[in-house]
Amino acid sequence: MSFEFKLTDSVMYVKGVGERRAIALEKLNIHTKYDLLTHYPRTYENYSNLTKINDVFAGETVLVVGRIYNITSREVRGLTIINATLEDETGAIRLTWFNQKYLLTKLHSGMRLLIIGKAKYDSWNGLAISQIQSFTILEQDEEPELGITPIYPSTAAISQQVLRTAIKNLLASMPPLKEILPQELLSAQKLMPLDSAMRAIHFPRDAFELDMARRRLAFDELFLIQCGLMLIKRQTQDERLGISHKKNGTLIKAALAKLPFELTGDQKKVFRAVVKDMESKLPMRRLIQGDVGSGKTVVALLALLKTVESGWQGAFMAPTEILAIQHYEKFSALLTDLGVRVGLLSAKITRSKKLKEELYEKISSHELDIVIGTHALIQEGVNFARLGLVVTDEQHRFGVNQRSTLEKKSDVLPDMLVMTATPIPRTMTLTVYGDLDVSLIKELPPGRKPIKTEAKSLRSRNKVYEFVRAEILAGRQAYVVCPLIERSESERLADIEPAEEIFDMLSNGIFHDIPCALLHGKMRPRDKDEIMEKFRDGETKLLVSTTVIEVGVDVPNASVMVVEHAERFGLAQLHQLRGRVGRGAAKSYCILISDSKANVAKARLEILEKTNDGFKLAEEDLKLRGPGQFFGEAQHGLPDLKIADVFRDVEILLQARDAAEKFITDDDNLKYFASLRENLALAYGDKFSQITAN
Ligand code: ADP
Ligand code: MG
């Protein structure tokens, strides 16, 4: 009988793992053999030089192997001190452990140990190894493992030793990995073979080998993602599938004339790019990146009108109900006079069977020109008669796959426009949106005053709210943003006052005579809408909320934002939040209250005081927090990079992108595509399912 080795098999079958440890490994997101194989070391320790005990000098950090004897312990001022003697064939030396009483049950006379620690003189023992960094118990005849040793991300339930052994066993049982890259590419990029790299990343012989292995695996990771994105792009680059829109006509002219403002230079430039894409036979796949308040919505509106005047329908997908309604109201106000039929597909409507069916009917019979909605728009049952353009607002809220679901609603490939206010640094844009063409709106509409941002300590809170009160009495409105809704069970968050408590404190205290409201994500959509409406109408003056107001909400009269526990938010997120103010004529303020003593937290908030440039902030945020936290897995739809690093590996990223472009467009490489898809599926599951499926 022969068993085939499969990387997709459960990790349970790896020697040294078994059922019980497999469960513990789940905490590390390790389910399959592949997950274990790609559980890369977090760092390495270099245990290359074994010192004979006779050669140990004071002041040196040494690696010694020997047997221990004379294990004793004593208490000194409440501190447990364990002493032992370590002996090898050249001599003996004393060992000292401080305050690790539990070791008494682990250490036995005669045991072989590998010790790393610093030798010092002490008055009790003379020369002793007293700062013991790590020790490993060796079997009687086990050779100590020297060389570079991997240190893995681990948990309390899974020790380094267990991980090392499991991975070693996995590598021993694993047949050589099939090479996934063509030989020419390997030589051109000077890349190590995949099999050697995968083995060397865990147990490198030396620093050079480790470096080569890391480069190869980082290249693969970035290359795979790029190929995946380019395959998506390639699928859409088919002239037979695209819609070629008509030249701009009277509808766009009329709308431009009705707008209360002139487009900014950047808006014009971006719209020109969109027009060119839409008129071309190739399906448009364009991302508009523009800071909060830069005016992306108008560009989307014009693009939607272009599809309408060419005889098609447009869909506009917003990330939240509140935003969908807001867009709907603005669009209707402008477009109804122009004879454009705009519909809203909201939760409110889909809850009523009758309303829903009516709306679906209007969509499929082309009685509506533009439909605005949330996720509901991509649900089964919504069938557009002639879908010509899909706009997705705040794309980082949707995954790659959701995007494609909407596209499948049509026989032809509609043009697609994606808008995001998350100012993603270029390297990130390439990894996350590599399948899209990118346009930037950098210029803000004229007359915007920069938002004055100030970081304040908890002590100044009263003063801050007095200031807010003065602003409200002067006719303005204010937001107070809190990180939590209600009191948390978690100890870690125990000190954080939730929105509910802050609302009580403010509405019963300093703002007792001012209309206040509380808004949070757990409320029923209907209640949320009502609260938001009242705030927009100016009836409510102070809105205490969680981050539900983060995206897109537009209330020009709101000029102050206070963020409580500002240290709990990411920089990019705070920047998005403060974009809610500064939308009107009044001077606007964002006050960040925090009581955090951590220097990193302070440094972060200070960056916000200094700059209003979203891109700069995003770069800083990425540097401080790493890409995982920056996006949050759910938001961008692509998994975290396991080994590549978007800052350190910019060069590799660009090389990988070039290589991927050549690779995908060269038909000679078709024979590699099956294994490419296989590897994408292995590494990213169904994230790329639309291309891995066919
Ligand atoms: P975002 O890019 O954040 O989605 P919006 O499209 O919501 O920004 O625009 C923010 C505000 O700026 C809106 O009130 C909008 O009407 C206004 N606006 C957009 N373009 C211009 C312009 N060219 N001149 C003046 N105001 C503009
Ligand atoms: Mg917007």
Side-chain angles (χ1 to χ4, degrees):
M1 217 166 35
S2 79
F3 293 102
E4 204 195 332
F5 180 95
K6 277 212 214 86
L7 281 171
T8 48
D9 282 343
S10 164
V11 70
M12 183 171 89
Y13 302 116
V14 173
K15 194 173 145 216
V17 178
E19 225 165 304
R20 195 174 48 84
R21 284 186 177 139
I23 292 168
L25 283 171
E26 281 177 10
K27 279 235 167 62
L28 292 166
N29 236 335
I30 299 172
H31 307 277
T32 63
K33 290 180 176 177
Y34 180 84
D35 297 337
L36 184 65
L37 184 64
T38 54
H39 189 66
Y40 300 123
R42 169 167 63 74
T43 177
Y44 301 82
E45 263 174 26
N46 200 343
Y47 295 165
S48 359
N49 298 308
L50 189 64
T51 306
K52 295 293 173 201
I53 287 175
N54 203 24
D55 297 333
V56 174
F57 285 96
E60 280 182 338
T61 296
V62 290
L63 172 74
V64 288
V65 171
R67 281 179 202 284
I68 55 166
Y69 300 100
N70 306 328
I71 304 164
T72 58
S73 75
R74 62 203 156 97
E75 299 275 327
V76 178
R77 273 173 261 123
L79 191 73
T80 307
I81 301 177
I82 301 175
N83 279 120
T85 306
L86 186 78
E87 227 181 82
D88 71 1
E89 68 281 9
T90 67
I93 193 165
R94 295 287 281 167
L95 304 175
T96 311
W97 280 276
F98 295 101
N99 229 14
Q100 297 184 58
K101 202 168 178 176
Y102 70 95
L103 288 180
L104 283 173
T105 59
K106 278 203 163 178
L107 300 172
H108 304 291
S109 200
M111 204 176 228
R112 281 181 80 220
L113 288 185
L114 177 151
I115 300 265
I116 298 171
K118 193 166 176 185
K120 278 168 102 175
Y121 273 102
D122 77 49
S123 51
W124 186 275
N125 296 299
L127 185 61
I129 300 180
S130 57
Q131 291 173 14
I132 297 175
Q133 295 163 12
S134 75
F135 73 93
T136 313
I137 299 167
L138 300 174
E139 295 300 322
Q140 292 309 332
D141 48 4
E142 187 182 339
E143 280 301 309
E145 215 174 278
L146 298 184
I148 302 176
T149 306
I151 312 288
Y152 292 99
S154 62
T155 66
I158 292 282
S159 71
Q160 289 297 326
Q161 201 56 50
V162 167
L163 273 170
R164 260 174 234 157
T165 309
I167 291 174
K168 194 166 279 174
N169 291 339
L170 172 67
L171 290 175
S173 67
M174 183 178 82
L177 285 173
K178 252 198 317 212
E179 185 50 63
I180 58 167
L181 299 181
Q183 194 51 50
E184 304 89 78
L185 184 55
L186 291 184
S187 347
Q189 299 284 345
K190 300 196 176 55
L191 292 170
M192 190 180 207
L194 179 61
D195 186 65
S196 328
M198 205 52 107
R199 292 170 197 274
I201 196 74
H202 293 289
F203 302 104
R205 265 194 303 258
D206 51 37
F208 178 72
E209 199 186 51
L210 173 59
D211 213 46
M212 294 295 288
R214 215 193 69 81
R215 200 176 100 77
R216 165 68 208 253
L217 296 174
F219 184 92
D220 274 23
E221 189 167 45
L222 296 167
F223 179 80
L224 268 181
I225 293 180
Q226 291 303 317
C227 283
L229 292 170
M230 278 176 202
L231 282 174
I232 293 177
K233 186 168 181 176
R234 198 173 111 122
Q235 278 184 326
T236 64
Q237 287 205 322
D238 187 336
E239 294 204 338
R240 287 162 309 175
L241 295 175
I243 298 168
S244 134
H245 283 86
K246 293 184 188 143
K247 296 259 174 248
N248 291 353
T250 48
L251 197 51
I252 287 178
K253 268 201 203 89
L256 281 173
K258 263 193 102 187
L259 282 178
F261 47 74
E262 269 272 322
L263 295 187
T264 63
D266 276 357
Q267 282 171 323
K268 283 184 191 154
K269 200 168 75 195
V270 172
F271 184 56
R272 271 199 299 273
V274 169
V275 164
K276 193 157 166 256
D277 287 354
M278 287 180 73
E279 288 173 7
S280 129
K281 276 192 187 136
L282 287 175
M284 168 168 75
R285 290 295 173 270
R286 185 167 291 277
L287 170 74
I288 300 181
Q289 263 189 319
D291 215 339
V292 274
S294 60
K296 296 178 293 292
T297 319
V298 187
V299 179
L301 174 79
L302 293 171
L304 287 163
L305 290 180
K306 187 172 176 67
T307 210
V308 171
E309 82 184 351
S310 302
W312 297 83
Q313 289 168 294
F316 190 4
M317 193 153 69
T320 64
E321 181 95 3
I322 293 176
L323 274 176
I325 295 170
Q326 185 182 294
H327 286 318
Y328 172 71
E329 285 171 355
K330 281 199 169 178
F331 281 24
S332 310
L334 194 77
L335 300 181
T336 315
D337 287 354
L338 302 178
V340 179
R341 299 159 300 177
V342 186
L344 173 68
L345 183 70
S346 67
K348 210 189 300 187
I349 284 170
T350 46
R351 266 196 302 271
S352 147
K353 194 157 179 265
K354 185 162 157 281
L355 287 179
K356 185 165 122 180
E357 274 166 10
E358 267 173 34
L359 193 81
Y360 282 13
E361 169 60 29
K362 280 188 187 160
I363 294 173
S364 60
S365 62
H366 206 155
E367 280 168 68
L368 284 174
D369 299 308
I370 294 174
V371 187
I372 299 169
T374 58
H375 291 76
L377 259 186
I378 56 173
Q379 266 151 24
E380 295 302 320
V382 187
N383 281 308
F384 285 85
R386 267 170 78 76
L387 186 57
L389 172 70
V390 177
V391 180
T392 316
D393 198 9
E394 309 297 349
Q395 164 67 17
H396 63 290
R397 303 261 151 167
F398 298 99
V400 173
N401 276 330
Q402 280 183 17
R403 213 159 70 197
S404 59
T405 321
L406 192 50
E407 281 164 28
K408 286 196 191 114
K409 296 259 168 239
S410 175
D411 305 332
V412 290
L413 281 173
D415 281 334
M416 193 183 82
L417 191 61
V418 165
M419 306 194 296
T420 179
T422 310
I424 311 158
R426 189 176 126 74
T427 49
M428 268 326 258
T429 312
L430 287 182
T431 36
V432 181
Y433 299 123
D435 56 329
L436 306 177
D437 300 313
V438 179
S439 294
L440 284 179
I441 303 185
K442 281 199 175 151
E443 188 182 354
L444 291 181
R448 287 283 161 78
K449 298 179 192 93
I451 300 153
K452 186 161 170 52
T453 303
E454 275 186 67
K456 293 278 184 194
S457 72
L458 206 51
R459 266 178 290 133
S460 336
R461 200 197 231 171
N462 285 344
K463 272 210 197 105
V464 169
Y465 283 117
E466 271 162 33
F467 170 74
V468 174
R469 189 181 160 83
E471 285 287 300
I472 291 175
L473 292 179
R476 252 87 69 194
Q477 287 164 278
Y479 297 101
V480 177
V481 181
C482 314
L484 297 178
I485 300 174
E486 53 206 17
R487 207 155 264 292
S488 162
E489 303 276 309
S490 146
E491 212 175 295
R492 201 168 53 83
L493 302 175
D495 288 342
I496 295 182
E497 294 149 293
E500 285 180 343
E501 281 175 29
I502 289 185
F503 174 72
D504 285 343
M505 171 186 88
L506 295 176
S507 61
N508 295 320
I510 180 164
F511 298 106
H512 65 94
D513 53 347
I514 283 172
C516 303
L518 174 67
L519 179 73
H520 61 68
K522 279 197 190 162
M523 290 175 160
R524 286 188 309 173
R526 206 175 324 165
D527 298 339
K528 271 193 274 189
D529 296 346
E530 199 178 309
I531 290 168
M532 218 38 235
E533 247 159 67
K534 281 196 178 143
F535 188 67
R536 217 173 334 153
D537 294 345
E539 214 175 298
T540 306
K541 299 294 179 195
L542 183 91
L543 187 66
V544 179
S545 81
T546 54
T547 52
V548 285
I549 57 146
E550 181 183 342
V551 205
V553 174
D554 196 15
V555 182
N557 191 45
S559 66
V560 191
M561 172 173 287
V562 179
V563 182
E564 292 277 356
H565 296 283
E567 75 284 352
R568 308 278 325 159
F569 297 90
L571 283 188
Q573 198 182 13
L574 286 170
H575 181 64
Q576 290 244 320
L577 279 168
R578 86 176 152 184
R580 298 306 114 224
V581 293
R583 300 193 149 222
K587 176 149 182 56
S588 296
Y589 304 87
C590 174
I591 304 160
L592 307 169
I593 299 185
S594 81
D595 196 25
S596 177
K597 297 189 177 59
N599 280 334
V600 184
K602 267 202 200 120
R604 283 178 52 224
L605 297 183
E606 277 164 17
I607 299 172
L608 275 162
E609 285 183 340
K610 281 187 214 119
T611 180
N612 256 310
D613 180 339
F615 281 89
K616 219 161 147 191
L617 285 168
E619 300 250 350
E620 295 293 337
D621 216 12
L622 265 166
K623 274 184 210 156
L624 290 168
R625 306 205 304 164
Q629 287 190 42
F630 177 76
F631 280 110
E633 162 99 24
Q635 290 194 353
H636 60 79
L638 288 178
D640 278 347
L641 299 170
K642 277 190 168 177
I643 193 161
D645 171 317
V646 283
F647 286 106
R648 193 174 41 174
D649 299 329
V650 173
E651 218 162 295
I652 302 180
L653 170 65
L654 296 176
Q655 287 162 356
R657 185 172 166 80
D658 275 357
E661 204 150 31
K662 287 202 193 85
F663 184 79
I664 295 293
T665 46
D666 185 349
D667 285 333
D668 289 347
N669 286 330
L670 281 171
K671 57 180 182 287
Y672 289 102
F673 279 20
S675 90
L676 184 65
R677 290 203 174 98
E678 212 174 289
N679 278 283
L680 275 165
L682 259 180
Y684 302 112
D686 59 4
K687 294 271 159 58
F688 285 100
S689 61
Q690 52 172 326
I691 54 164
T692 48
N694 51 43

